[in-house]
Amino acid sequence: MSRTTATVAASLPDQWEQLVTTALLGTDRRTPPGVAPGPQTPSDLLDAAAAATVRRRAGLCPARPAERLRPAPEDPRPPLPPAAARRLAALLADRPGASGGGRRAAAPDLMELLPQWLQAANARGYAAPPQALPALLDAARGRTDLRPAALRFAGPRVLWLARLNPDWRFALRAAPGGGPSAPDLRDPQGIRRLWQEGLFAERVTLLTALRSRDAAAARALLEETWATERAEDRLMFLDSLRAGLAPDDETFLERALADRSRNVRETAAGLLSALPASALAARMAARSAACVAVDRTRDVPTIVVEAPHECDAAMERDGVVAKAPAGRGERSWWLGQLVEAAPLGTWPGRFGGRPPEEIVALPVADGWQGELHAAWCRAAVRQRDAAWSRALLGEPSAPEAGGPGAVSLAERARLLAALDAGERAAWVAGFIETHGLSEAFQLLGVCAVPWAPPLGRAVVDALNIARDAGSYPWSFSGVMGLAERCLDPSEASRLDALLAIPDEPEDAAPGAGSYWSEAFQRLVTTLRLRGAMLAELAPEEPAP
C-alpha cells in the first residue's frame, strides 16, 4: 500500500465520525467537511455518507463465509385457530416491558391469564405460531412459573431458537433435549459408562430417567459408587429415590442411616418413614407408643403423654435431630419427631380401635394437645392420609376455625391437599361461609381450578357481604385476583348485579364504593374473556 493510500485509509474513520456527528446535530448547526453551506447541504451530506460507506466497505478484508443456518425443525401439531393466535399475541403484548403492556383500571390483567391459556392450548395439542416464539420465550424468561407450559407449547423449534439468543439459555436447560443428552436406557454399557464418567448433571438425569423405568436398576447403579460419592452428590442422588419409592429400597436406605452426612441421614430417615411397613417406621411406632397412651381411669378417657427424657444414639441414627431450635423444649421437640415419623395406623390399635376422628377428639392431659396434634398433622401430610387429614381439619364451621389439630393456615392448606378436589372445595366453601375471607386466601390456593360451583358461590357471596358492610376494600385485592383466575367463567352473568357503585355506609373507607364497583367490573370482564379464550381454542367443526 502506498503512503498516499495509507493516509487516505487512516483518514476514513475520522471522516466517517465527522459525518455521523453532523447528521446527529443537523446541517443547520454544522456543515459537513468539504461541503458548502446552503439549501443543498442535507442532500450533500447524504451523498458524502454514501461515498464514505463505499470506501469503508472497499477497505474490508474478505472473510470466510459463515455456515448457513439450518432450518428449524417442523412442528407436526395442528396450527392454532386464527382467533386463538390473535388472542395469544394480545396476551404476550401485555407482559411487563412490552409496548403498550400494563394493567389499566378495570382492564383484565392479561399476563395473569397466559398460564391458563397455555394449559388449555397444550391440552388440545396445538402448535405455537412461529412468529410468537420470541415473545413467548421472553415471557418465560421473566416468569419461571410459565416455563414448563411455555416450553411445551413452543414445541420442537424452541431449542433451535434458544441457541440463537443468550437470553433464552434457560430453555436449553429446561426443555427436553436441551440439557445433557438423554441416555439410551436400552444400552447397559452406555449407561454404565455415563454413570462412571459423566458430569454431575448428566448422572442426575441418567439416574432419574432410569428410576422411572427400572427402579431396581437405578438403585443398583447408585449402590455401586455410593461410598465414593461426595456428600452433596449423595444427597441429590438419594432424593431421586422418591420417585417410585417401594419396600425394595428399604435395605439401601437403612444403610444410608449410618451415612457420615447428617443431611443424608435425615433424608434417608424421611424416605423410610414414608414406607409404613419399614423397620424404621416400626421403631418409631414403638417409641411413640411408649410416650402416648390413654388413661381410662378418669371420668373421660384422656390421652396422657410422657415425652422422651433423652435422645439416644439409636434415635439420632433414625433421623431424630437432638438439638432443639431456640425457644423449643427438648422433650417436646423429640416427641414431635417421633410421632411425625410413626405410621398413623399405629394409633387406632393403641386407642382401643377408635377411628381418627374419635382419637383427635379425646382430651389430652397436661397441655400436650398442641404438640401432639401438630405432629399428627405433619404425619398426615407426609403419609397423605385422607382419613386423618379429615379428622384433624374437623368441621369447617367449628368455632376454632381450623379443627382440633390444625396449628396454622399453612398446616390446614397442606391437610386439605390430601383430600380429593370435590371434598377440598366443599370444606373451603364451608369455612368461608362461617369465617369469611380474611383467613381463606391460603386455603383457596390449594383448590382445583376452575373452582367448583359451591366454592365459587361462597367466594362471591363473601365479597358481596364485605362490600355491603363497607369493609376496607383493598384488603380483599388478593382474593379478587384469585377469583379472576379461578372462578368458573359461567359465573360472570351472576355478577352483573354487583357492578353498580353501592351506597357507602358512614364508617366505610373513602372511595370504597368506587373501588368495589371497579373490582367487580374487572372480575366480570376477566371471566368473560376467559370464556372467550376457551371457546377460541375449541377445535373448528368442519363445514357441512
Side-chain angles (χ1 to χ4, degrees):
M1 181 183 292
S2 67
R3 181 176 180 181
T4 303
T5 304
T7 302
V8 171
S11 66
L12 285 178
D14 293 337
Q15 182 184 9
W16 179 257
E17 291 297 330
Q18 292 176 12
L19 291 172
V20 171
T21 301
T22 301
L24 292 173
L25 293 174
T27 54
D28 56 337
R29 298 177 60 188
R30 180 169 180 169
T31 302
V35 176
Q40 293 298 318
T41 302
S43 298
D44 292 341
L45 171 64
L46 294 178
D47 291 341
T53 300
V54 173
R55 289 197 297 272
R56 282 163 58 88
R57 289 178 178 173
L60 293 176
C61 296
R64 187 180 298 278
E67 182 180 351
R68 173 180 286 185
L69 190 66
R70 295 181 180 180
E74 292 295 324
D75 192 333
R77 298 174 297 176
L80 277 174
R86 291 192 295 271
R87 181 74 65 188
L88 174 62
L91 295 176
L92 291 172
D94 199 66
R95 72 184 189 277
S99 176
R103 190 174 190 170
R104 294 170 294 278
D109 188 348
L110 299 185
M111 193 59 184
E112 288 303 318
L113 298 182
L114 184 58
Q116 288 189 21
W117 191 96
L118 289 170
Q119 181 182 13
N122 284 329
R124 289 165 174 79
Y126 287 121
Q131 67 273 17
L133 290 177
L136 185 65
L137 284 170
D138 282 340
R141 178 192 176 206
R143 284 183 54 175
T144 55
D145 61 307
L146 279 179
R147 290 181 184 179
L151 295 179
R152 179 183 170 193
F153 179 63
R157 294 187 173 115
V158 68
L159 296 179
W160 179 90
L161 192 60
R163 291 187 177 101
L164 303 179
N165 187 343
D167 289 342
W168 299 332
R169 275 188 201 141
F170 69 89
L172 301 178
R173 298 187 297 269
S181 58
D184 185 353
L185 301 182
R186 298 165 299 181
D187 179 11
Q189 292 184 346
I191 288 175
R192 186 172 299 278
R193 182 169 57 254
L194 182 59
W195 179 250
Q196 293 175 348
E197 302 174 4
L199 300 174
F200 174 70
E202 293 173 322
R203 300 177 75 210
V204 170
T205 300
L206 170 64
L207 192 64
T208 303
L210 188 59
R211 181 72 177 177
S212 64
R213 177 168 175 168
D214 188 342
R219 187 182 61 250
L221 200 65
L222 181 56
E223 286 182 289
E224 287 182 9
T225 60
W226 180 258
T228 60
E229 303 287 356
R230 300 183 306 166
E232 54 267 34
D233 293 352
R234 292 199 304 276
L235 184 62
M236 289 291 293
F237 292 146
L238 191 63
D239 197 61
S240 70
L241 299 186
R242 294 184 190 278
L245 184 66
D248 290 344
D249 297 317
E250 182 181 357
T251 302
F252 173 68
L253 292 173
E254 275 283 342
R255 289 201 300 271
L257 291 175
D259 196 89
R260 55 187 179 274
S261 166
R262 188 187 71 179
N263 290 334
V264 172
R265 295 195 302 269
E266 291 178 1
T267 300
L271 291 170
L272 283 168
S273 68
L275 296 172
S278 67
L280 179 137
R283 294 193 295 270
M284 289 301 196
R287 291 172 180 135
S288 299
C291 298
V292 182
V294 175
D295 183 355
R296 297 180 176 84
T297 64
R298 307 190 184 199
D299 295 338
V300 177
T302 301
I303 297 177
V304 291
V305 174
E306 181 66 27
H309 289 273
E310 65 173 344
C311 181
D312 57 32
M315 288 169 59
E316 289 196 64
R317 180 182 180 275
D318 284 348
V320 176
V321 178
K323 184 175 178 57
R328 284 288 298 275
E330 285 186 332
R331 296 182 65 199
S332 64
W333 171 245
W334 299 332
L335 173 75
Q337 294 179 79
L338 296 180
V339 174
E340 178 184 353
L344 289 165
T346 301
W347 304 110
R350 182 68 174 162
F351 295 142
R354 289 179 173 87
E357 60 269 18
E358 292 185 16
I359 293 175
V360 299
L362 291 173
V364 183
D366 302 325
W368 283 102
Q369 177 170 319
E371 187 66 50
L372 182 61
H373 283 188
W376 277 337
C377 281
R378 296 192 298 273
V381 170
R382 177 184 291 187
Q383 298 171 37
R384 300 194 63 81
D385 191 299
W388 273 88
S389 295
R390 196 176 296 118
L392 290 161
L393 281 165
E395 293 297 324
S397 58
E400 59 270 34
V407 295
S408 67
L409 284 171
E411 196 79 54
R412 295 172 207 162
R414 287 192 286 269
L415 288 169
L416 282 168
L419 308 182
D420 64 59
E423 186 177 2
R424 197 182 315 160
W427 195 96
V428 177
F431 180 92
I432 292 171
E433 290 168 0
T434 303
H435 306 286
L437 289 168
S438 59
E439 295 187 348
F441 186 80
Q442 281 183 287
L443 307 181
L444 288 168
V446 300
C447 294
V449 178
W451 288 336
L455 178 57
R457 287 193 295 270
V459 171
V460 172
D461 290 345
L463 287 170
N464 192 22
I465 291 171
R467 182 192 70 155
D468 291 344
S471 298
Y472 193 67
W474 295 272
S475 62
F476 294 92
S477 59
V479 175
M480 273 292 190
L482 268 181
E484 291 175 21
R485 299 188 296 274
C486 302
L487 267 178
D488 193 300
S490 63
E491 295 284 334
S493 58
R494 204 168 68 84
L495 297 172
D496 286 336
L498 303 177
L499 301 182
I501 299 177
D503 296 331
E504 296 182 6
E506 292 183 1
D507 57 347
S514 297
Y515 170 89
W516 282 111
S517 176
E518 181 182 289
F520 278 119
Q521 179 66 60
R522 184 169 56 241
L523 176 57
V524 171
T525 305
T526 303
L527 291 179
R528 289 185 172 139
L529 179 58
R530 285 174 52 210
M533 281 170 31
L534 296 176
E536 291 162 357
L537 286 165
E540 296 181 348
E541 296 186 6

